[in-house]
Amino acid sequence: MIYDNLEYKHEADIFANQMKYVKPLLPYETFMAHIEADSDKHIIIKDLVESYNLAITPSSAPNGICAVSTLERIYDKYGFQTLDRVLRLLIGTWEGAPQSFSCNMLNGVARLVNAYGDELNENIFKEKIGQCSVKEIARNAKDRRPGSSGYAEALVLAYNKNSRSQRLAFDKLYTHKINKNGQTSDEEEAPQSDLYEGDG
């Protein structure tokens, strides 16, 4: 709609009333808009997801990831290689089960990859953690800490279970980590706005 010859107060009043009925864009819609705008970062993330026969989806679905803000955050904070490894571990462990790609699970595995690096054996991860269902990990996580730190702890416990060697030291989860720019940073919880993104 176009209005002519309005005073500033009238413009502000019309804007305020219109904004009452504007539905905020979902992270998925924003992500796809970036794809249409040929954003290199978003195209790289989309291509990486699709290389694992997964899809970025607006809601939870088998072989779909709807936690798109979390994908972007992991890419921005840790870089392409970490995001690639996180997806490889999750698809190898639970074969695309929807809740395996919740924001807390993605962030929890990213914490492990960042904290332990090459010490985290991918075959052991898939074998030991694959014996637990996604719901079991989520349940154990809730009993420990809120958010992705609870998931990270639950994953470490499952990884270390009945193992005398190649155990992951728990305290490494909470030491300073190196981000993709080579700077040290403390781990952070996902913002509350991300909790609806495919989270169980």
Side-chain angles (χ1 to χ4, degrees), residues 7-178:
E7 293 182 5
Y8 180 76
K9 285 195 298 185
H10 291 150
E11 289 180 12
D13 184 59
I14 291 170
F15 175 78
N17 284 315
Q18 285 178 337
M19 292 308 291
K20 287 180 185 176
Y21 308 105
V22 173
K23 182 182 176 184
L25 289 176
L26 297 174
Y28 171 81
E29 294 168 329
T30 304
F31 186 92
M32 296 314 291
H34 282 298
I35 294 292
E36 294 299 318
D38 286 335
S39 164
D40 288 342
K41 180 181 86 171
H42 296 84
I43 291 170
I44 288 169
I45 292 172
K46 181 174 180 284
D47 287 348
L48 175 61
V49 168
E50 290 178 351
S51 74
Y52 286 101
N53 294 318
L54 303 172
I56 293 174
T57 55
S59 58
S60 183
N63 296 309
I65 302 178
C66 63
V68 289
S69 295
T70 303
L71 295 176
E72 291 182 63
R73 188 177 304 108
I74 293 171
Y75 180 90
D76 289 339
K77 188 171 184 179
Y78 303 121
F80 176 89
Q81 296 300 328
T82 294
L83 179 58
D84 182 27
R85 195 174 181 202
V86 168
L87 294 178
R88 186 166 67 245
L89 285 167
L90 288 172
I91 193 69
T93 303
W94 287 298
E95 300 180 346
Q99 292 306 310
S100 65
F101 298 114
S102 70
C103 66
N104 280 327
M105 185 67 82
L106 287 162
N107 278 322
V109 176
R111 283 172 178 262
L112 263 64
V113 170
N114 186 49
Y116 300 107
D118 292 338
E119 189 183 344
L120 181 69
N121 184 296
E122 294 194 15
N123 291 328
I124 293 175
F125 184 99
K126 293 170 189 175
E127 178 188 345
K128 299 287 285 294
I129 295 176
Q131 294 173 8
C132 305
S133 69
V134 179
K135 286 184 178 179
E136 184 179 348
I137 295 292
R139 211 165 36 240
N140 293 341
K142 199 171 287 187
D143 291 339
R144 299 195 63 81
R145 288 174 183 259
S148 61
S149 56
Y151 277 70
E153 289 188 9
L155 290 165
V156 170
L157 288 173
Y159 184 99
N160 288 343
K161 189 175 181 180
N162 300 325
S163 177
R164 295 185 180 180
S165 62
Q166 293 187 305
R167 294 173 63 85
L168 301 176
F170 223 82
D171 59 348
K172 274 196 176 182
L173 277 176
Y174 299 104
T175 55
H176 289 288
K177 312 300 189 305
I178 304 298

